Structures are given as structure tokens and as C-alpha cells.
Amino acid sequence: MTSKNMGFTSKKHDARYRLSEMPDEILVHILSFLPILDAVRTVSIRRFGNLWTMMSSLDFKDYEFFKAGNWPYGIIDFDIQIHCFTSFVRNVLMLHKGISVDKFVLHLNDIYMYDDDDKSLITYINSLIRFAIDRQVKELEIQIDDTNELCDTNEVYDSDLPQCIFTSQFLVMLKLAHCEIECLNTVQMGSLRKLSLTYVKVGNEMFEKIISGCPSLQELVMRHVHVLDELRITAPNIEKLDLEYFSRCVLDCPNLKILNIHLISSTESILQVVNIPSVCKVHIQSTFQIDEIVSKICTVEVVKFSDGAFSAIKLQGVKYSTNYVEAFTYRVTA
């Protein structure tokens, strides 16, 4: 054996030695950065063994699972692979040994590929969500359809989310996309600090119940929310608000500091600011009601405009007083 080969072998041996000496906690943390399928496959590595069953982050995205590189010859039979995916998820959860889960992600790209029986699919999805809630999950992300070019981004999966989500005292972040929220008896999420709703169907009464049931909420994202015909946000602790909205919007957020707003319609969008005295940064992506919006944010230090909004200002010939211009810093963003 040449000295060069001996050096290579020595380095390889040192790497294995260092791996074998690492504590289990460090190795489990390393596994959390891998796609869930690759993390499970480390069972074939002696040092890792069944450590994947202790992972505190479980991320199930079917489009990651269906990647051609994961399967022989890159050929995917979706009828077979969908069954493989659902079985894989069930087995992972059945073998999971962690007492708690920090993060649980479920993305189903095209629900209509899964099962002709909607009731069966709803039961399957809700069972996964209940697993996460039972494990005192802190971050929960549910997307029942993917917002890509191949799907209708306006579609909402017509299924009630389980009540257990909205009574969790452990949830810190909740992200929902393409879901429906209705018939909630109680909302008690005392620890929730971030809520994101995208293409979610929820009515006025139910939304107000959610907001009032989240006293610690600090960040709210609302994009393309259906059914809601008036967005009334009265939350004392919210510090960041991201709105893409198309109807009446009433804001009563005394501690709000950052506001991102994109109004979609020039005729229906009506922004009513009741109380936002602490706002210091605003990002305007709307080409509608720009002067109305700006006139209601008197304490702002920085105003950002998207290209479209900035162009609209120039086209409309909006003029501001000298004092007003001095009170704001305009930054154009892509």
C-alpha cells in the first residue's frame, strides 16, 4: 500500500472514529437536516441505527418523496408510490419514540391522486395531525395542496381541520394552506405567536374567535383568505402583519410595528385603520389606494414600495408636502 493510500485510509478511519464518538443527541440533530426518507435510510449505518426514531422534526412532503432520484431508474408509478408514501408516513409515526415533536410538516401536493374516498383521506390527514398534537408539537405546518404552476391555487380542500389544533397550549407557530376552518367550539392557543393562513376558507365569526383565542399572537400572515368579507384585527400584541386582501380591513393593533400590505381590488378594498400608533415600517405592494394607505401611517420611519406600487405613484402624480417627505424614507424594492 502506498503512503498516499495509507493517508486516505487513515483519514477515513479518523472520520469513522469521530462519528462513533459523537453523542446520540448530536447525531439526532444532524438527521433533522436530512429529508425524512434519507434520515430513515441511515438505519443501515451501524452508528446511526434507530436514532432516526428520536427525531424531533418530522417533515413529510410528498413531492420530495416522489423525486425520481429516490426510485430505481427514475421511473415513478404514482399509483404505487402514493401507497408507498402513505405507508411510509404511518410506519415512521408508529416507530417514532420521541416523547415530543418540535416541528411537524405535512404537504400533500395533489390530494385527488390519493383516494377516491374523501372520508378516508380526511381520516388519514386528521390522524397525522392528532399524532403531532399528542406529541405537544410546537410548530405545525399543514398544506393540503401545493401552490405550484400545475395546480389551481384558488382551490381549498373542503375538509374541517380537527378541533385539537385550536386547543393546543404548546403550539408556537401554525401555518395552514388550502384548508377550511369552521365549526370550532373553542379556541385556546395561549402560546401561539405566529399564525399564517394562505388560501384558507374561514368566516368572519370563526376568524374573530381564532384571534381572540390567541392572546400571545405576535405575527399574522393572511393571504387569499376565502369567505371572510371583513377582516377585523383587534389584537394588542401583534407586532408584524402581512396582508394580501380584497375586502374591508379594520386594524386595531396598538403594538403593530411592521405592516406589509397588498390590496387586490381598487373597488372593493377598503382599509380602515383604527389604531396602529406604533408602526415604524410599511411595505406597500398595492397599486390601489396608495395615498389612502400612506395618509394613515403617520409614525412610520421607513416605507417600501414594490415596483408596481412605486410606478403607480408616479402615474397618479401623487404629491406630498415637504414635511411629509422628510418624515419618510422611500425605498424601492423588487
Side-chain angles (χ1 to χ4, degrees):
M1 182 180 294
T2 66
S3 59
K4 184 177 181 180
N5 289 337
M6 289 178 62
F8 177 77
T9 303
S10 176
K11 289 179 181 179
K12 191 174 180 181
H13 175 76
D14 289 345
R16 287 178 178 174
Y17 178 77
R18 286 195 297 269
L19 185 65
S20 66
E21 289 298 305
M22 285 185 180
D24 288 354
E25 294 79 6
I26 298 296
L27 295 179
V28 171
H29 182 66
I30 291 172
L31 290 177
S32 68
F33 293 97
L34 297 176
I36 187 72
L37 184 60
D38 291 338
V40 172
R41 284 171 171 167
T42 61
V43 69
S44 61
I45 302 174
R46 181 181 299 177
R47 177 61 186 93
F48 281 92
N50 289 320
L51 287 179
W52 68 267
T53 62
M54 300 299 296
M55 291 170 55
S56 62
S57 179
L58 300 174
D59 191 332
F60 300 107
K61 297 186 177 81
D62 61 359
Y63 49 86
E64 291 284 346
F65 187 86
F66 296 149
K67 281 183 177 178
N70 289 328
W71 308 104
Y73 313 110
I75 299 174
I76 301 175
D77 183 330
F78 282 104
D79 289 337
I80 296 175
Q81 298 309 334
I82 284 172
H83 175 72
C84 287
F85 175 73
T86 54
S87 298
F88 171 76
V89 175
R90 283 195 185 98
N91 290 334
V92 168
L93 300 191
M94 182 176 65
L95 295 172
H96 190 266
K97 297 177 182 177
I99 298 174
S100 62
V101 173
D102 291 336
K103 184 176 182 179
F104 188 93
V105 177
L106 176 65
H107 285 195
L108 302 183
N109 187 55
D110 189 344
I111 56 173
Y112 298 108
M113 293 193 306
Y114 279 80
D115 201 324
D116 293 333
D117 182 1
D118 283 346
K119 199 168 187 179
S120 175
L121 181 59
I122 292 169
T123 301
Y124 172 73
I125 292 171
N126 288 353
S127 69
L128 304 185
I129 293 173
R130 288 192 180 93
F131 170 90
I133 296 298
D134 289 345
R135 294 301 192 283
Q136 302 177 355
V137 65
K138 297 179 181 65
E139 297 183 16
L140 179 62
E141 183 175 334
I142 306 296
Q143 185 167 299
I144 312 298
D145 214 338
D146 193 24
T147 53
N148 59 32
E149 296 177 354
L150 300 179
C151 80
D152 181 2
T153 56
N154 291 302
E155 193 165 355
V156 173
Y157 185 48
D158 193 14
S159 146
D160 284 344
L161 293 167
Q163 172 78 44
C164 62
I165 294 176
F166 302 94
T167 54
S168 170
Q169 296 303 307
F170 298 96
L171 271 178
V172 175
M173 185 195 79
L174 176 61
K175 295 179 69 175
L176 302 174
H178 298 266
C179 305
E180 182 176 10
I181 305 173
E182 65 176 8
C183 302
L184 296 178
N185 298 321
T186 306
V187 177
Q188 293 179 337
M189 294 189 283
S191 301
L192 194 72
R193 294 199 296 268
K194 181 176 180 180
L195 174 63
S196 175
L197 304 177
T198 303
Y199 288 104
V200 168
K201 186 187 293 184
V202 61
N204 291 6
E205 182 180 347
M206 211 48 51
F207 177 73
E208 290 178 13
K209 182 180 284 192
I210 292 171
I211 292 299
S212 63
C214 304
S216 302
L217 194 63
Q218 296 177 351
E219 185 172 340
L220 177 62
V221 177
M222 300 279 290
R223 294 183 182 134
H224 300 281
V225 177
H226 299 277
V227 183
L228 197 65
D229 54 22
E230 178 178 273
L231 180 60
R232 184 175 292 272
I233 302 175
T234 55
N237 293 319
I238 286 186
E239 297 181 355
K240 184 176 181 181
L241 194 53
D242 191 336
L243 298 177
E244 188 164 332
Y245 202 64
F246 55 88
S247 190
R248 288 174 61 88
C249 182
V250 179
L251 304 182
D252 185 3
C253 307
N255 287 311
L256 186 67
K257 295 177 175 60
I258 300 174
L259 174 62
N260 299 326
I261 190 161
H262 183 185
L263 299 179
I264 299 172
S265 169
S266 59
T267 56
E268 296 179 357
S269 298
I270 303 174
L271 178 67
Q272 296 182 351
V273 180
V274 177
N275 184 27
I276 53 170
S278 302
V279 171
C280 58
K281 292 183 180 180
V282 174
H283 184 189
I284 300 175
Q285 302 179 65
S286 173
T287 58
F288 307 119
Q289 300 182 338
I290 293 179
D291 40 354
E292 288 183 41
I293 297 171
V294 176
S295 67
K296 294 175 180 177
I297 47 178
C298 304
T299 61
V300 174
E301 298 172 1
V302 176
V303 177
K304 295 183 180 182
F305 293 103
S306 66
D307 285 343
F310 190 75
S311 299
I313 288 178
K314 291 188 291 186
L315 291 172
Q316 293 169 2
V318 176
K319 295 180 180 180
Y320 303 108
S321 66
T322 304
N323 292 336
Y324 197 73
V325 172
E326 289 176 351
F328 292 83
T329 303
Y330 297 98
R331 298 179 183 173
V332 183
T333 61

